[in-house]
Each structure stands twice: as C-alpha cells, then as structure tokens.
Amino acid sequence: MPDVPPSDVLAEEQRYLDRARAELERMRLHTLSLTPDGGDAIADEALAWALAQRAAGLVDDPATTLFFGRTDHDGGERFHIGRRHVTDDAGDPVVVDWRAEVSRAFYRASRAEREGVVVRRRFGVEQGRLTAYEDEHLLATVAPDEDGRASAILAREIERPRSGPMRDIVATIQPEQDVLVRADVATTVCVQGAPGTGKTAVGLHRAAWLLYAHRDRLTRQGVLVVGPNHAFLSHIAAVLPALGEVQVEQSTVEDLVTRAADGRKAVLVRGEDPSDVATLKGDARLAEVVHRAVWSAVAVPRDVLPDGAVVVTRGTRRWRVPGYLVEDLLAELRSRGIRYEAARTLLPQRLAHSVLQLLEAAGDAPDDAVQDAVARSAEVKRAAKLLMPPQDPAKVLHRLLSDPDFLAANSEGVLDDAERALLAWAKPPRTPGAARWTPADAVLLDEVAEALQRTPSRAHVVLDEAQDLSALQLRAVGRRCSTGAATVLGDIAQGTTPWSARSWEEVLGHLGKPDATLEVLDRGFRVPSAVIDYAAKLLPRIAPDLSIPTSVREDPGHLDVVATPHPVADAVAVVAGLVAQEGSVGLVVAAAALEEAAAALTAAGVEFARLDRPDEDTPRRVALAPASLVKGLEFDRVVVVEPAAIVAGEPDERTGLRRLYVVLTRAVTGLTVLHAEPLPAELR
C-alpha cells in the first residue's frame, strides 16, 4: 500500500466528517417532517413527543466531532466510531455509535488479540475540526521498546485542560474500563477505584451503554444516578446528555428520601444531629427496630373486637369467625414477609375466605363473587381497620423517638439503654409536623415507608462515593434497584463520614447485592504521578489493605509544598497567577477559612464561584470550595490551604486524613500546598 501524505489523509477524513454532518442534518430534518396520524389522540401525542426527543438528539454540536476513531478490519471493512449513529439515506452506517458491538474492538483490540482489526486510527480534534491522526498497525511487528507505547493523541486528550463540568471519555476509554462499561445488564458491578482511575466516568458511560443496549426496559423502569452532593451532580450533569441520554434522573441520597413520588418534598429537613446520634440512626439495627414498630400496630383481636371474633351478616343469618382463627390469620400474614400495607389489603379477603368456609360447611355453595362481597362488607372492613389500622411514616417515627416505652418495647435485644437514650428526643415535638427532622431522620422515615409499602424499583442505579453512606442510606438506595442491577463506585480510602464502610462486602450486603462483581481500578489516567505519589503517603495509615495506585501518564505534573506564615494570602496570589493559564483552578480550604479566602479573592479581583452555595450557577474558572465538597470533582490545578486545619475539621484524625487524601487528589495538572502549621507526619 503506497504511503499517503498526512495532509492528504487528514483532508480526506475531514471530507468524510463533512459528509457525516450533512447526513446527520438530513436525519434530523426527516424526523421533523414526520407527522403522527394514527387516529388515536393519546398515541399521537406520545409519538409526537418521541419524535421531538429524537430530533433533539440529532442536533449537531459544531464544537465537537462526530467521530474520534476508526477501525480497519480483515476483509476491508472500515468503521468510523463516534458518539452517535449516523446513516446515509440507504440506511448504511456512516458513523457507528461507540456503544455498538462492532465498536468494542476500537477499545479492546491489541496485537495479542486483534478482534479482526488491522489498523486502529485515532483523531486529534480542535473545535470540531480534525487536526491530527495516529495509526496503530496491529499486524505489524514492533521493537520491544515500542510495544505498548501510549498513544500521543490519547495522552493529549486525557491531559487536555478543562474548565466547567466533567466531559465524556468516549474517545479515551481504556480496555479495563470498557469491560466494566459493557458488563451484562443483570450484573451488579462494584468498582473500587483510586483517584483519577475514571470510576465515575465508567459508571456514567455504563448507564449510557445500558440505555443503548436495553433501551425499552431501562427507559420504562428508569435509570437513577446517585451522587454525594449537588456540587458533584452539577459537575457530572453534562456527561449523559452529551452522550444523547437526557432521561436519566440524578439525585443525592437526601433528595431521594425526602421527595415524594410526584417530585414534591415529602419531608422537610430542618435540623441536624450530632455525629454520634446520626451514626446510630444510620445503623443497620435500626431497620429491625423500625420493622417491629410498624408491625406493633397489629391489634390483639380480643382488645378491639367483642370476644375477638369477626361477625358477618348475610341475609337472615350471622356468621362468626372466632378469635383464635382471626389470630391465626394475622400471624400467617406477618410470617409471609410482606409489607404492612400489602397485608392490610389481604386481610379482608382472608377474613372473607373464612366466612366462605363456614358457608360451605353449612351446605351452601358460594363462589368468588360472594367472597368479594363479604370482603367489601361493612363488618369486615371495620374489623380489618381495627385489627390493622392505617399508618403514616411520620407518625410511626414520631412515636418511636417521643415515647420511651414504645422505643424500649421495639428495640429490646437490639439496642442498649444508652443507645435508646441517645435516640430519644429530649423535648419531643407535639406533632410530626412540628418536628425538626434531620437528614438521618429522613432516611429512617424512608425505612418506615418501605416497611409499610414497597418502594418502586428502577431498572438500574449508578451509586457514586458509596463508601460514605450509612447502612440505612445504602438500604434506601438498594430498594430503588431491588428488581434491577447497580453500578457501585467508590474508594474505601476516601471514606470521610463517621459511618464510612471498611469493606465493599459490607456495602454490598446493605445494598442487597451481595453477589456483585468486585473490580479494582488502580491505574490513574487523570491524576499525575507527582500528585498521586504524594497523596499515597497517607494510604498505609488510612487504608492499609488497598494497593498503592499508579499514574500511567507520561507527564508527572507539578507539585509545590510551601511553608508560609500567610497561607491564605499566598494561596490567593498563586490562584491569581494561575488564572492567566489555561484550565480550571480549585482553591480548597478548611470550612473555618472559607470567608477569609472569599474576602481575599474578592480583594485581589479574582472572579470565583463558591461551591458551598449551589444557588450560584454562574460558571467560573476559579472555584472556592470547603474540603468537604470536593469529593468526585477535579480541577486542572488545585491549591490547598493548611492541611492540618482540614484534618482537624473532622471528628477524628483518621477521618481527617482521609478527607485530606481526597483533597490532595483533585488535581489533573498541578498541586500547590501552602501551610503555616506542621504537615501531618505522613507528609513531612
């Protein structure tokens, strides 16, 4: 095959890109030209909405390219791989969606296992134009020092400075990441990922792949992404829409448990628990306490009914279901492991069935219609309501935290006296509406609601920073994927809550996914080696069982650790200098130093956004953040002020060192640490 000048190759590929854009526009205009006319107004409205969504998904973004790679296969087949599927007017592919099965080879093919690929081509892109290309010949024999050499285009894309929200990584997905992205829909995957290994991106791209491969089921039941806070959700918000998936719900755990099914606030959180109380309220044992409290409402028949019996009048005769049979029915319903409301629904039918047995014993031949009539009779409905009264989650929890005797009765053998004293309200509010519910209470209310009635399940849940959730928070997320699978993401070393998990087995057990596949990502693509090696000095102390992560980037990045008597003022000076460079800047301080840092930035004339104020939506290249809000975020350059203060701001030293590990690993290009106080011993 004769050599072709690179400029000619690029020109040919650019013409192909122009053709792909023209075909995409043709597809969009064709979609807009379609008119629903099925004779059914409801069906037509649904189809019109679907067509509008389809047309919106076909809008081209001139700042990006429709494809980022190409594979040439045995037999001469050639596929351009991109973010969406583009066809010509005959239906033949012009660009193949990165999620299609044929695209898998672009990510996984190697000289050892070619998967039919002869040449893999990557494209360099700037503002929607092709600027470079790079070919990898998988049939070629290479020198030992060249085997496995990283792609320069791939490295540039990974290390490219960024500002604003997180981008998709479809052009840079690594083989080990692709295996996780394309895992079977029924498989729950748990990813233990060190900083910079792309675990969040893997979770989001897995959601996009599942929606592509199993669209009907996942669209019908829904896909949910759960993140640690609103700053994190804002950071990742653009990824799935960029991949063409706009119907994915994103939520924090707190929002998840405080929203009603119609999206309105079901619980108003107005209070905050001390750390020890919040830890106890998130303990898995509270699920048993809540279950007992809910089912304690089942009455003893003789306490609410004359002689404990249910009497039903039919015609001129009265039929009596004796108290011992009523007790047996209630015991049988409790033993079935169903929710309280499901048992309440069944109880009238079970009582009616007992009446039918009496009718049959008397020589009658009743049918199902008679049983339904008996179940709907005033006597049975009244008896059922007395035996199993309706309940409200807020009233159940209000009584549990207000009534020491009720709490003691339902926690016997589960909690001790000191724990009960910790849970009980010192000054109980008179009504549930007057309660100052806390975030931990909201999770307990969700547990009560689940004991009463099954929570609807999504088809798939992506849970990020899972190591930070309490047992009851994990249960709340788990019941929202009880009939589906999950993608569980996190890093045990980054657990920064008093109740953070010590093992993934613990997390998966509370989620109800004990058979999940656990995978480890420890090759860092985003965090440079100078930064990750510095932060990793903390690992033997905070997570001795985890392997030390490694950075695979050729650029080691920049690390400056500076002792100074004025760390805040000097940090602002560093930030002001970094603004002149490309990329985003994160200034991270302990919560106590936020106002001082904000005032110093303002005085220096540096425009910035405060991540502790989510109502400030204006994007800025500089972000000021308390240490507690940077988990899951990344910046090209990070300036950290006073590590000792960040550690001291947590309940204990171990948690503080974990928080510091999170803070130190947010940098993609460079990290500057300024301190007046001595650094933690591990970093000296």
Side-chain angles (χ1 to χ4, degrees), residues 157-158 160-163 165-169 205 239 526:
E157 174 62 22
I158 290 174
R160 180 157 56 96
R162 61 188 60 197
S163 59
M166 179 179 174
R167 299 191 304 254
D168 68 73
I169 62 163
H205 287 68
V239 175
R526 292 295 298 163

Side-chain angles (χ1 to χ4, degrees), residues 363-380:
D364 204 346
D367 56 16
D368 290 345
V370 174
Q371 178 171 323
D372 289 341
V374 173
R376 294 194 302 268
S377 66
E379 296 103 324
V380 167

Side-chain angles (χ1 to χ4, degrees), residues 4-32:
V4 179
S7 59
D8 291 350
V9 173
L10 268 181
E12 180 183 348
E13 293 287 9
Q14 184 62 52
R15 285 192 294 271
Y16 193 89
L17 175 57
D18 294 340
R19 177 196 167 199
R21 290 194 189 282
E23 294 290 359
L24 182 67
E25 178 63 9
R26 179 194 57 77
M27 293 168 63
R28 188 183 73 86
L29 293 176
H30 174 70
T31 301
L32 290 173

Side-chain angles (χ1 to χ4, degrees), residues 521-678:
L521 295 178
D522 55 11
R523 293 203 310 149
F525 304 101
R526 292 295 298 163
V527 183
S529 59
V531 174
I532 196 66
D533 292 346
Y534 181 68
K537 294 178 180 181
L538 298 171
L539 284 178
R541 175 75 183 281
I542 63 176
D545 295 333
L546 294 183
S547 59
I548 302 298
T550 58
S551 175
V552 298
R553 289 174 48 176
E554 293 184 3
D555 179 2
H558 304 282
L559 172 66
D560 294 305
V561 182
V562 181
T564 169
H566 308 291
V568 172
D570 288 353
V572 170
V574 171
V575 169
L578 291 174
V579 170
Q581 303 178 33
E582 189 179 8
S584 57
V585 181
L587 175 57
V588 187
V589 301
L594 263 176
E595 299 306 327
E596 180 187 357
L601 285 169
T602 301
V606 177
E607 292 188 347
F608 65 98
R610 284 186 59 159
L611 297 190
D612 61 323
R613 296 179 178 175
D615 54 318
E616 295 184 1
D617 295 329
T618 305
R620 296 280 190 268
R621 284 190 49 220
V622 176
L624 172 62
S628 60
L629 285 185
V630 297
K631 184 171 291 184
L633 308 184
E634 59 182 27
F635 307 92
D636 287 290
R637 292 170 178 81
V638 172
V639 181
V640 177
V641 175
E642 208 62 87
I646 291 173
V647 174
E650 300 296 329
D652 56 73
E653 186 183 28
R654 182 171 176 271
T655 303
L657 289 173
R658 286 186 165 192
R659 179 73 70 192
L660 180 59
Y661 178 74
V662 172
V663 168
L664 295 176
T665 53
R666 301 304 96 197
V668 175
T669 300
L671 171 67
T672 301
V673 179
L674 298 110
H675 66 100
E677 300 178 39

